[in-house]
Every structure is written in structure tokens, then in C-alpha cells.
Amino acid sequence: MRRQRRIKILATLGPASSDSAMIRKLFEAGADVFRINMSHTSHDKMRELVKTIRNVESSYGRPIGILVDLQGPKLRVGAFAEGGVQLQNGETFILDNNPAPGDSTRVQLPHPEILMALRSGHALLIDDGKLRLIVEEATSDRAVTRVVVGGRISDRKGVSLPDTDLPVSAMTPKDRLDLEAALDTGIDWVALSFVQRAEDVHEARRLVRGRAAIMSKIEKPQAIDRLDDILDASDALMVARGDLGVELPLERVPSLQKRMTRMARRAGKPVVVATQMLESMIQSPVPTRAEVSDVATAIYEGADAIMLSAESAAGKFPVEAVATMNRIGEEVERDPTYRTVLTAQRPDPEPTAGDAIADAARQIAETLELSAIICWTSSGSTALRVARERPKPPVVAITPNLTTGRKLSLVWGVHCVVAEDAKDLDDMVERAGRIAFRDGFARAGQRIIIVAGVPLGTPGATNMVRIAFVGPKEDGSM
């Protein structure tokens, strides 16, 4: 099954999309990677979903990626004696370490490390930013705040702290258990929530031990200040616009999205744009015009993937949401402006042999109007380097490693084929042509360009390009 677009689609699984028939429909509609959100998924359910996805994968013979999204530290207020209270603008309200039920003057903040970190002038956002409090006085056991934006505050509502560098790990004890359970099932990507610093990623990498790739979700202002280091430590980024838009002024999110997309592309690492992309399709079979424009903007910007959350997990129209994203992707990529934008934003190649080879292969393929760029890749690095160039011809990655193929399902423009490794250069050329012909990327008599590392099977050793004709055998077959 060949996609007619380069942008990849992530679909979140949930109550509306957890059985085999629905997952199959989502894949056929255009989903390339499935996301399992551990905030709402038990270990048993996660294992069941992974097994179902792998069964769908085997029936289509096309690698499908699985992303497990860890919950991360969730900060919440305690309980109220009457379930909640109404806070008025200008009032004083206290958050403390007293476990007694709250009232109109105070409530517990059951996170002593947060009380220790708060300082005068810091903001606290309650219930996804609906309420805003400013700290006027802070000690190790309580914070006296002034209500700036009032409203109803009730039991266990979430707390965001845009001004506070949280002295907590991005991984909670629950996350560690979830991570180990997910890795045991053989998932491909792990998404870390509420990353603040590169050390958060290093901590996760020590636990993962190479068993999956790590995606950092950027949703904290503190992460924005350390983007270079976080990106360097990560295998991919997610622009998590929901929490980012709570903790930062909404008007800053679009420019940050563009900044992160370009940074990740320059680094040759995948970037996913997520949250509220087709939000109205939770209830409606068609999106708003503004949502279509939002999705198109991410595609024009050169993101590797776009993601559906509640639209596919809990909405009434999960298949329609994926199909809509698929159509938007195809239409944008047919627009001549799309190619103009990608070309204008193309970064200079990194000063390595592999990146120079990838850039040269792209130039040769476009100059000679070759049918496809075929990457023989063991680790996936050759395909990543070529995808970084956003070439005009299709990119086909041939790998002997199924795990590599699944990871590459997230990467812009890469059509992945899992096949036995080439025996020698002649075998590599012959089979590259045969696969390009079989999957509809080239016709007999057309030319392709092959990018690989020699000796064959050496991870990361991209050092060879070769132009070859696609030709039929004597019996007319490929």
C-alpha cells in the first residue's frame, strides 16, 4: 500500500478505535503510526492494542509504527469539603501542605517539592488555564496567592506552573512501570511528557537502553529555553500545542511551532505537530475551514507528521478524521507553492560524508528527473538523511530490520520496505529496481538513484550513490 503523500499521520487509539476492524479502517484511511496514550490505558489494554496493530501490520506487509505516550508528572490540587468553590478576582487564596479538605480560602497542593520551588510573582494556572493565580508570598509549606482570573475550582483540578522550574523528573513511578511494560511488547517510539531539560531525556534513555526511539514533547516554557540541548538528546520532537498554549500566551504558539519544525528538520530528526488539529471532528463529520488551514500550515512548513488525539481516540468520526487529514496532505503537496516553500527552507547539509552524499543524491535525482531515491539502510540513518533534504522524487527505504522500518514510518516521505539485506552491489542494484517497479515508484526503462553504505550492513556509513536503470527480465517480469 503506497501513500500518495509525504506527510505522515499519527492516530491516537482509544474507546472509539480499539478493535481490529477499526484499526484496520484507520490504517486504510491513511494512519501511518498509532499512538497509545498511557494516561488512559492500562497495561493489559496496551498489550492488546499492540498485538492488534501487529496483526494488521502482518496482513498488509507494511511496517506500522507504534508510539507510547507516557503521562508524565500531573500536578493537581487536593479535594474540597463541598467539591469546589468559586474564586473571585482580587481575592487571596492559599495553597498549602495541609491534607484537610479545602474551602473558599485554601486548598492542599499535595506536591511539597512544588511549594519549595514557588517564588513571589510566579503564576499558577488551574484547570487548563481557566483560573490564574499569582504568588504573593511563598514558604516551604504554603503559597499565598492573589486571584487574577477567577472562576470555579473543584476537586483534583490540574495545575500548570509556567514560571517555575519544577524540581521533578519528567518520569514518575507510573511512567517507569508503563515504559517497561511497553518496551516488553516491542513498541517503536516513546513520547516523554513535560520535558524541561536534556537530563530528562538522558534519564529516559538509560531506562530504554536502545529498545525504542525517544520523542520529547515540548509543552513547557522551560523546554523552549533549552530546545537545542533537548533536541540534541532526543530522536524526535512533538510540538504539543495543548499544554504549550496553556502555559504560554496563545499567540506565541504558531511561531514556536515554526521554530521547532525548522530546528528539527535542520537536525535531521522527525517533528510531529499535535493537538486540536481537527478538534471539531470529535462531534462533526467535517472540520472547520480554520482547522483545515491549520493542518495545511503544518504540512507547508515541512513537518514530518501530524497527529490526531481525541478525534480518533474518542470522537464520533475517527475514520473520517484520518481520511480528511489524508486528503489535506495530498492536496497541499500537489500545490506548486509547497515545493517552493520546502526548497526555500532547505538547510545546508551537515559537514559529514553521509549528509553530503544525501544532498548530492537529492540534487542528482532532481536534475536528472529520476523516478525515485532508493535507500538501503540498516539503522535508518541513510533514510533520515535523505528525508532531511525533502527531495522531489519519492524516497524508498529498504531495510533488513523490521524495527527500523517501523521507526521510519514516522519520517517524512519515506516508504519503507523490509527485505533481506543485499548480498553484494549487483544484488543491491537489481533488487532496488525490482522493488521500485513492484511498488509503483518506477516503470521499466526509467532510472533510479541508490544510496547506501559500503560495506553493506554497516550502520550509519552512508557513502555511496549509484544511478541504475529499471529493466524487465527476459520473461517480461521484474
Side-chain angles (χ1 to χ4, degrees), residues 262 265 299-302 332-347 366 389-392 412:
R262 295 180 186 187
R265 180 181 170 190
I299 300 169
Y300 276 113
E301 197 62 33
V332 168
E333 293 176 16
R334 280 193 290 266
D335 179 6
T337 305
Y338 173 68
R339 177 54 47 187
T340 303
V341 172
L342 288 189
T343 301
Q345 294 178 4
R346 179 176 293 122
E366 292 180 356
E389 303 301 316
R390 300 295 191 260
K392 188 174 182 180
W412 183 96

Side-chain angles (χ1 to χ4, degrees), residues 229-240:
D229 292 340
I230 292 172
L231 178 58
D232 187 57
S234 309
D235 298 306
L237 289 185
M238 181 188 292
V239 187

Side-chain angles (χ1 to χ4, degrees), residues 156-176:
R156 306 289 300 157
K157 285 300 182 184
V159 180
S160 298
L161 303 160
D163 304 321
T164 309
D165 202 343
L166 302 181
V168 296
S169 166
M171 294 188 63
T172 65
K174 168 181 161 53
D175 293 328
R176 291 169 181 265

Side-chain angles (χ1 to χ4, degrees), residues 70-315:
L70 301 180
Q71 177 176 287
K74 290 290 186 182
L75 308 179
R76 300 182 185 279
V77 298
F80 289 85
E82 298 182 0
V85 297
Q86 188 77 18
L87 299 184
Q88 303 296 331
N89 292 2
E91 287 183 344
T92 295
F93 190 72
I94 296 173
L95 297 106
D96 57 32
N97 59 8
N98 182 356
D103 55 31
S104 60
T105 64
R106 58 155 296 277
V107 73
Q108 182 192 21
L109 183 63
H111 306 282
E113 68 280 10
I114 304 307
L115 289 171
M116 295 279 290
L118 287 173
R119 298 291 181 268
S120 178
H122 285 195
L124 292 94
L125 307 177
I126 314 293
D127 193 9
D128 289 335
K130 295 182 178 69
L131 291 83
R132 184 181 183 89
L133 315 178
I134 298 295
V135 177
E136 294 190 327
E137 176 190 333
T139 65
S140 60
D141 56 8
R142 72 174 198 162
V144 180
T145 73
R146 175 171 45 85
V147 179
V148 177
V149 179
R152 182 170 174 78
I153 179 173
S154 53
D155 295 347
R156 306 289 300 157
K157 285 300 182 184
V159 180
S160 298
L161 303 160
D163 304 321
T164 309
D165 202 343
L166 302 181
V168 296
S169 166
M171 294 188 63
T172 65
K174 168 181 161 53
D175 293 328
R176 291 169 181 265
L177 292 173
D178 291 348
L179 175 62
E180 200 56 44
L183 292 171
D184 285 345
T185 68
I187 55 93
D188 312 298
W189 287 90
V190 174
L192 301 181
S193 297
F194 302 109
V195 171
Q196 295 186 95
R197 54 186 77 84
E199 288 75 18
D200 294 334
V201 188
H202 296 318
E203 178 187 1
R205 199 170 291 284
R206 286 191 292 270
L207 297 171
V208 171
R209 299 196 307 278
R211 291 174 286 173
I214 297 176
M215 178 183 297
S216 292
K217 294 168 65 177
I218 306 301
E219 47 198 335
K220 297 284 294 178
Q222 291 77 14
I224 299 298
D225 298 332
R226 301 158 180 158
L227 263 179
D228 287 325
D229 292 340
I230 292 172
L231 178 58
D232 187 57
S234 309
D235 298 306
L237 289 185
M238 181 188 292
V239 187
R241 304 182 305 176
D243 283 287
L244 199 59
V246 170
E247 299 212 8
L248 285 168
L250 287 171
E251 59 272 17
R252 286 195 61 195
V253 175
S255 61
L256 288 171
Q257 175 178 316
K258 288 179 180 291
R259 176 183 165 193
M260 283 185 265
T261 301
R262 295 180 186 187
M263 284 179 67
R265 180 181 170 190
R266 191 163 57 245
K269 297 183 178 183
V271 58
V272 179
V273 177
T275 321
Q276 296 178 328
M277 301 212 80
L278 296 175
E279 185 86 351
S280 67
M281 290 194 75
I282 296 172
Q283 299 292 335
S284 169
V286 295
T288 67
R289 278 60 171 171
E291 288 168 339
V292 173
S293 294
D294 178 43
V295 173
T297 296
I299 300 169
Y300 276 113
E301 197 62 33
D304 288 80
I306 44 183
M307 192 179 95
L308 293 166
S309 298
E311 301 96 328
S312 59

Side-chain angles (χ1 to χ4, degrees), residues 394-422:
V395 179
V396 180
I398 305 174
T399 180
N401 301 321
L402 179 56
T403 55
T404 296
R406 289 167 173 166
K407 288 186 179 74
L408 290 174
S409 61
L410 184 75
V411 179
W412 183 96
V414 176
H415 173 90
C416 202
V417 176
V418 179
E420 182 183 349
D421 209 354

